[in-house]
Amino acid sequence: MDISERKIVDDLLLSYQEVGGINRIDSANLPSRPAIATLCEDLLQILFPGFLETEAIEAENLEKETAQLLSKIAIALEKEIKRSVRLLNEVNLKVKDPKDLALDFLSELPKIRGLLRTDVEAAYEGDPAAQSFEEIILAYPCLEAIAVQRMSHILYYFGIPLIPRMMTEWVHSKTGIDIHPGAKIGSHFFIDHGTGVVIGETCVIGSHVKLYHGVTLGARSFQKDNEGNPIKGIKRHPNVGDNVIIYPGATILGGETVIGARSTIGANAFIMNSINEDSLVALSEVEHEIKNKRNHKEADGNG
Amino acid sequence: MDISERKIVDDLLLSYQEVGGINRIDSANLPSRPAIATLCEDLLQILFPGFLETEAIEAENLEKETAQLLSKIAIALEKEIKRSVRLLNEVNLKVKDPKDLALDFLSELPKIRGLLRTDVEAAYEGDPAAQSFEEIILAYPCLEAIAVQRMSHILYYFGIPLIPRMMTEWVHSKTGIDIHPGAKIGSHFFIDHGTGVVIGETCVIGSHVKLYHGVTLGARSFQKDNEGNPIKGIKRHPNVGDNVIIYPGATILGGETVIGARSTIGANAFIMNSINEDSLVALSEVEHEIKNKRNHKEADGNG
Amino acid sequence: MDISERKIVDDLLLSYQEVGGINRIDSANLPSRPAIATLCEDLLQILFPGFLETEAIEAENLEKETAQLLSKIAIALEKEIKRSVRLLNEVNLKVKDPKDLALDFLSELPKIRGLLRTDVEAAYEGDPAAQSFEEIILAYPCLEAIAVQRMSHILYYFGIPLIPRMMTEWVHSKTGIDIHPGAKIGSHFFIDHGTGVVIGETCVIGSHVKLYHGVTLGARSFQKDNEGNPIKGIKRHPNVGDNVIIYPGATILGGETVIGARSTIGANAFIMNSINEDSLVALSEVEHEIKNKRNHKEADGNG
């Protein structure tokens, strides 16, 4: 190593000392991003057996393979939970033993499979382009996003830090769908296309709800405490009733906003107040200017 | 394995029996997602030789390396086609032999290279930030998205199930650009940035068309049959004429909507009716309220 | 290889000869996409030591591990710079030696760490859902996107072709956040959610700026030279002052557009003119039609 490289290393070491908070040296391990990624992949495999592997599973091997995969997941999850609960303060440390938490979580998987079956049905009924259940499981990003969120929601509910958000961020990176682990979502949930969807931490979504890409269920500007820090943990995001459809690019904001059951929200709508049940909300015939280019020079508007 | 884990495995096995449709046990293999991913990567390599490998290809090795890669692709594609055509019902089973289908597809690759060359030209002419053809192939997501869609469109046209959608979903995950394999797209096609673009199954797009990120060419609400299921296979998405430019966030819906040639659609426009040729469509001077904050308390509007 | 495959190979070889510009045969190597991906991962590891590995770094190993990783990065970066500068014409070839460029770049890393620390603070203060600095580094896509852009900006400033854009495109694919390496960005920068954000090459962004997903800081339609090619290298994108907040889906265009300090731009706003300091800009009570569905048949609007 020559002198210039040596100097850079020294400067970096100095920076590690001086600029705290963004390095983890000689401190407890945090949950590992590669480990959480593998965990998500293994969990999806146990939810949809035979779908995501290269070869189908033979019935005679099913019990053995399921037991092996479950053991692998239980060990990995316990390890990551141990790492994450170190971040809790002493009061919260009264949570259960990491191994018990891992098993409590895993025992919820059959129930989650039941919910995901309803999500697959909703996608098949909700998209004329869908040809089969198989296509939905193999080629619809929403299914992965919803499966991971439904699992992360259980860990979030257990009070486990970091891991739930790392799971939903893993699937956000793959799908462009960003659902916070805290959101409560009913059965038969379908998101078509999905890129750009954002669903906030305190949303409550009914059953048979369909969203398109680019829909935001977000917060209005949030309250700050006396020291100017945002107040955490209060209801900030909307509720959406049963059988609601929200078309692409619609933005719905605020913790007191409720979209009534059976309502339809049109594309690009912007809503900060509650909407009655059975409503149809659309941008009113938005005024577009239409000019003939031959009579005008080229106009602006670009990205 | 202790008793709690044993019970979870038993519950999962029971769930596999009871909640059908989302597992594939002891049944025919489906096309494999990892195999389709490798196939897409290999196909991109044969379309852009020397670009995506770590080392350039030497002329003397070109023939040998091309032949080897083509053989590898032909074998893998035949295997996945065999898996996918099992889903067809008996009438459709009259399709060709999987090996013939694979070779018919591969013989289209030179023609696709010709089209992609026009797409690279369109990107160079369409973006002032583009410095070279090399930059476009190495760093513009639209090129991958368009290359994969142009290939998947051929398999879609052959009537092969699942694989075309798995291919476009692979590239959607990488680029945020979601183009259905069914869409017909002319030469010199350019999408800048790309995240959030959605192009539906029955779109027909002319040549020299430029889109920006967040553009939707989608369906209006669709017809249902007497049993309440969506009617599949009808024209649901717009046509876009030659030399049209569509700016970011514009939403154009409906199977009867036609954007006339040489028209320009402004950012965030929302269109459900046909537009004449040579038109310039823009949100008319949208009314924005502008307040001075010093005279008002902070207002809302967040995500 | 049978006759049909042989013919496809011959047609491809012919296509490689005839359709130039999209193959690199027997020519100088270009920077390698897999190599740039590894470089980005290694650089993120040296910026956030102990965060992205599976195990934390022990203090006694820190110096050795930092030196090893830095050496690895220096060698890889020099190799890719050598490949990229071959594209420069003779005038620009007067740039420094690739090894010196690599070391000059690496010596900026401590300064970048200081900036990233301010970005982490901004995220913690800007999102009520953020529970800890650790969560931001492990699960907020903006941090990766900003870290990679801040590094690519230095290489862009050095005049190195291709590599800066390949770096930002690598992170665009992971996060949906597309920031051009040319953009100048102040301290304490936060992007929440991020999917669909586009920030153009000639943007200048102040400090303490917060953006939400789907925000575009883009160009208006650009000037062309006498031969009809876009004029490259002129100021095309907006400036954003200190302490500005821009809510989701807002589109701000044009090289002469300036958003004054301390202004707030509401969701879905569309701005092509400058905004005074301390302004609050919102779509004025957009007219939405609200109908009761029970009295009307289902209306349109879909994606």
Side-chain angles (χ1 to χ4, degrees):
Chain A
M1 176 165 281
D2 64 23
I3 293 174
S4 341
E5 283 192 32
R6 186 69 255 165
K7 172 153 179 14
I8 296 171
V9 171
D10 290 343
D11 288 349
L12 278 168
L13 293 170
L14 191 66
S15 154
Y16 293 158
Q17 281 176 31
E18 289 177 349
V19 183
I22 61 170
N23 35 267
R24 299 284 294 178
I25 294 155
D26 217 15
S27 61
N29 276 314
L30 290 169
S32 145
R33 286 220 287 197
I36 297 296
T38 303
L39 200 56
C40 287
E41 283 164 359
D42 288 343
L43 284 165
L44 289 173
Q45 198 159 323
I46 218 162
L47 290 175
F48 303 109
F51 264 100
L52 307 177
E53 301 91 346
T54 306
E55 305 297 328
I57 293 186
E58 289 174 48
E60 60 185 280
N61 298 329
L62 182 63
E63 181 169 346
K64 197 187 69 186
E65 292 194 14
T66 303
Q68 282 174 347
L69 185 54
L70 192 90
S71 276
K72 181 190 172 203
I73 292 172
I75 291 165
L77 182 58
E78 181 188 341
K79 181 176 176 185
E80 301 307 316
I81 291 177
K82 263 187 202 153
R83 291 171 160 190
S84 78
V85 293
R86 290 194 191 124
L87 290 182
L88 294 174
N89 60 37
E90 297 204 355
V91 178
N92 293 322
L93 262 177
K94 288 174 195 158
V95 293
K96 284 186 170 180
D97 174 72
K99 178 161 190 185
D100 290 342
L101 284 168
L103 292 178
D104 285 355
F105 164 76
L106 292 170
S107 67
E108 298 285 327
L109 292 181
K111 200 188 299 173
I112 288 179
R113 290 193 79 248
L115 277 171
L116 291 172
R117 161 77 203 206
T118 72
D119 299 328
V120 172
E121 288 168 14
Y124 185 75
E125 285 163 18
D127 182 11
Q131 298 292 337
S132 63
F133 277 24
E134 286 83 359
E135 180 183 341
I136 291 159
I137 298 175
L138 288 171
Y140 275 63
C142 66
L143 204 71
E144 269 184 321
I146 297 166
V148 170
Q149 198 275 344
R150 291 199 186 283
M151 292 190 288
S152 74
H153 182 67
I154 293 171
L155 297 171
Y156 172 93
Y157 182 78
F158 288 170
I160 294 172
L162 284 176
I163 296 174
R165 276 281 294 133
M166 292 172 76
M167 290 172 69
T168 54
E169 193 46 43
W170 176 79
V171 85
H172 176 204
S173 174
K174 288 189 74 177
T175 64
I177 298 171
D178 184 358
I179 316 179
H180 196 284
K184 291 182 185 161
I185 300 176
S187 71
H188 299 83
F189 185 54
F190 176 42
I191 303 173
D192 205 358
H193 309 299
T195 311
V197 163
V198 171
I199 299 177
E201 182 176 17
T202 62
C203 280
V204 180
I205 297 177
S207 67
H208 295 272
V209 168
K210 176 159 81 165
L211 309 184
Y212 286 86
H213 54 290
V215 166
T216 296
L217 304 176
R220 296 171 70 142
S221 66
F222 38 84
Q223 296 173 263
K224 298 194 173 184
D225 64 19
N226 293 336
E227 291 171 4
N229 292 317
I231 300 177
K232 314 225 168 198
I234 54 177
K235 169 85 173 158
R236 303 183 306 280
H237 307 94
N239 286 8
V240 175
D242 296 342
N243 295 290
V244 165
I245 303 180
I246 308 179
Y247 284 109
T251 302
I252 301 171
L253 305 179
E256 295 174 14
T257 303
V258 177
I259 306 298
R262 297 172 302 281
S263 288
T264 299
I265 309 296
N268 296 341
F270 177 59
I271 292 173
M272 304 217 294
N273 295 293
S274 290
I275 299 293
N276 287 336
E277 297 185 351
D278 299 295
S279 297
L280 182 61
V281 183
L283 280 177
S284 60
E285 204 63 41
V286 184
E287 308 269 326
H288 288 82
E289 285 183 48
I290 305 185
K291 297 178 189 167
N292 188 310
K293 278 186 178 180
R294 294 188 177 164
N295 307 327
H296 295 77
K297 69 183 182 73
E298 170 95 11
D300 295 316
N302 177 350
Chain B
M1 177 165 279
D2 64 23
I3 294 174
S4 342
E5 284 192 32
R6 187 68 254 166
K7 172 153 180 11
I8 296 171
V9 171
D10 290 342
D11 288 348
L12 278 168
L13 293 171
L14 191 66
S15 154
Y16 294 158
Q17 280 177 31
E18 289 176 350
V19 184
I22 62 170
N23 34 267
R24 300 283 294 177
I25 293 155
D26 217 15
S27 61
N29 276 313
L30 290 169
S32 145
R33 287 220 286 198
I36 297 296
T38 304
L39 200 57
C40 287
E41 282 165 359
D42 288 343
L43 284 165
L44 289 172
Q45 198 159 322
I46 218 162
L47 290 175
F48 304 108
F51 264 100
L52 307 177
E53 300 91 347
T54 306
E55 305 297 328
I57 293 186
E58 289 174 48
E60 59 185 281
N61 297 330
L62 182 63
E63 181 170 345
K64 197 186 69 186
E65 292 195 13
T66 303
Q68 282 174 348
L69 185 54
L70 192 90
S71 276
K72 180 190 172 202
I73 292 172
I75 291 166
L77 182 57
E78 181 188 341
K79 181 175 176 185
E80 300 307 316
I81 291 177
K82 262 186 203 154
R83 291 171 160 191
S84 78
V85 292
R86 289 193 191 125
L87 290 182
L88 294 174
N89 59 37
E90 296 204 356
V91 178
N92 293 322
L93 262 177
K94 289 175 194 157
V95 294
K96 284 186 169 181
D97 174 72
K99 178 161 190 184
D100 290 343
L101 284 168
L103 292 178
D104 285 355
F105 165 76
L106 292 170
S107 66
E108 298 285 326
L109 292 181
K111 200 188 299 173
I112 288 179
R113 290 193 79 249
L115 277 172
L116 291 172
R117 161 78 203 205
T118 71
D119 298 328
V120 172
E121 288 168 16
Y124 185 75
E125 285 163 19
D127 182 11
Q131 298 292 338
S132 63
F133 277 24
E134 286 83 359
E135 181 183 341
I136 291 160
I137 298 175
L138 288 171
Y140 275 64
C142 66
L143 205 71
E144 269 184 320
I146 297 166
V148 170
Q149 197 276 344
R150 291 198 187 284
M151 293 190 288
S152 75
H153 182 67
I154 293 171
L155 296 171
Y156 172 92
Y157 182 78
F158 288 171
I160 295 171
L162 285 177
I163 296 174
R165 277 280 294 132
M166 292 172 76
M167 290 172 69
T168 54
E169 193 47 42
W170 176 79
V171 85
H172 176 204
S173 174
K174 288 189 73 177
T175 65
I177 298 171
D178 184 357
I179 316 180
H180 196 283
K184 291 181 185 163
I185 300 176
S187 71
H188 299 84
F189 185 54
F190 176 42
I191 303 173
D192 205 358
H193 309 299
T195 311
V197 163
V198 171
I199 299 177
E201 181 176 17
T202 63
C203 280
V204 180
I205 297 177
S207 67
H208 295 272
V209 168
K210 176 159 81 165
L211 309 183
Y212 286 86
H213 54 289
V215 166
T216 296
L217 304 176
R220 296 170 71 142
S221 66
F222 37 85
Q223 297 173 263
K224 298 194 173 184
D225 64 20
N226 293 336
E227 291 171 4
N229 292 316
I231 300 178
K232 315 226 168 197
I234 55 177
K235 168 85 172 156
R236 303 183 306 280
H237 307 94
N239 286 7
V240 175
D242 296 342
N243 295 289
V244 165
I245 303 179
I246 307 178
Y247 284 109
T251 301
I252 301 171
L253 305 180
E256 295 175 13
T257 303
V258 177
I259 306 297
R262 297 173 302 281
S263 289
T264 299
I265 310 297
N268 295 341
F270 177 59
I271 292 173
M272 303 218 295
N273 295 294
S274 290
I275 299 293
N276 287 335
E277 297 185 352
D278 299 295
S279 296
L280 182 61
V281 183
L283 280 177
S284 60
E285 204 63 40
V286 184
E287 308 270 326
H288 288 82
E289 286 183 47
I290 306 186
K291 297 177 188 168
N292 188 309
K293 278 186 179 179
R294 294 186 179 165
N295 307 327
H296 296 77
K297 69 183 182 71
E298 171 93 14
D300 295 316
N302 176 350
Chain C
M1 176 164 281
D2 65 23
I3 293 174
S4 343
E5 283 192 31
R6 185 69 255 166
K7 172 153 178 15
I8 296 171
V9 171
D10 290 342
D11 288 349
L12 278 168
L13 293 170
L14 191 67
S15 154
Y16 293 159
Q17 280 176 31
E18 288 177 350
V19 184
I22 61 170
N23 34 268
R24 299 283 295 178
I25 293 155
D26 218 14
S27 61
N29 276 315
L30 291 169
S32 146
R33 287 220 286 198
I36 297 296
T38 303
L39 200 56
C40 287
E41 283 165 359
D42 288 343
L43 284 165
L44 288 172
Q45 199 159 322
I46 217 162
L47 290 175
F48 303 109
F51 264 100
L52 308 177
E53 300 91 347
T54 306
E55 305 297 328
I57 293 186
E58 290 174 47
E60 59 185 282
N61 298 330
L62 182 63
E63 181 170 345
K64 197 187 70 186
E65 292 195 13
T66 303
Q68 282 174 347
L69 185 54
L70 191 91
S71 276
K72 181 190 172 202
I73 292 173
I75 291 166
L77 182 57
E78 181 188 342
K79 181 175 176 186
E80 300 307 317
I81 291 177
K82 262 186 202 154
R83 291 171 160 189
S84 78
V85 292
R86 289 192 192 127
L87 289 182
L88 294 174
N89 60 37
E90 297 204 355
V91 178
N92 293 323
L93 262 177
K94 288 174 195 157
V95 294
K96 284 187 170 179
D97 174 72
K99 178 160 191 185
D100 290 343
L101 284 168
L103 293 178
D104 285 356
F105 164 76
L106 292 171
S107 67
E108 298 285 327
L109 292 181
K111 199 188 300 173
I112 288 179
R113 290 193 80 248
L115 277 171
L116 291 172
R117 161 76 204 206
T118 71
D119 299 328
V120 172
E121 288 168 15
Y124 185 75
E125 285 163 17
D127 182 11
Q131 297 292 337
S132 62
F133 277 24
E134 286 82 0
E135 181 183 341
I136 291 160
I137 298 175
L138 288 171
Y140 275 64
C142 66
L143 205 72
E144 270 184 319
I146 297 166
V148 170
Q149 198 275 345
R150 291 198 186 283
M151 293 190 287
S152 75
H153 182 66
I154 293 171
L155 297 171
Y156 172 92
Y157 182 78
F158 288 171
I160 294 171
L162 284 176
I163 296 174
R165 276 281 294 133
M166 292 171 77
M167 290 171 69
T168 54
E169 193 47 43
W170 176 79
V171 85
H172 176 204
S173 174
K174 288 188 74 177
T175 64
I177 299 171
D178 184 357
I179 316 179
H180 196 284
K184 291 181 185 162
I185 300 176
S187 71
H188 299 83
F189 185 55
F190 176 43
I191 303 173
D192 205 358
H193 309 298
T195 311
V197 163
V198 171
I199 299 177
E201 182 176 17
T202 63
C203 280
V204 180
I205 297 176
S207 66
H208 295 271
V209 168
K210 176 159 81 164
L211 309 183
Y212 285 86
H213 54 289
V215 166
T216 296
L217 304 177
R220 296 170 71 141
S221 66
F222 38 85
Q223 297 172 262
K224 298 194 173 184
D225 65 19
N226 293 336
E227 292 172 4
N229 292 317
I231 300 177
K232 315 226 167 197
I234 55 177
K235 168 84 172 158
R236 302 183 307 281
H237 307 94
N239 286 8
V240 175
D242 296 341
N243 295 290
V244 165
I245 303 179
I246 307 179
Y247 284 109
T251 302
I252 301 171
L253 305 179
E256 295 175 15
T257 303
V258 177
I259 306 298
R262 297 172 303 281
S263 288
T264 299
I265 309 297
N268 295 341
F270 177 58
I271 292 173
M272 304 218 295
N273 295 293
S274 291
I275 299 294
N276 287 335
E277 297 185 351
D278 299 295
S279 296
L280 182 62
V281 182
L283 279 177
S284 59
E285 204 63 40
V286 184
E287 309 268 327
H288 288 81
E289 286 183 47
I290 305 185
K291 296 177 189 167
N292 188 310
K293 278 186 179 180
R294 294 187 177 164
N295 307 326
H296 295 77
K297 69 183 180 72
E298 170 94 12
D300 295 316
N302 177 350

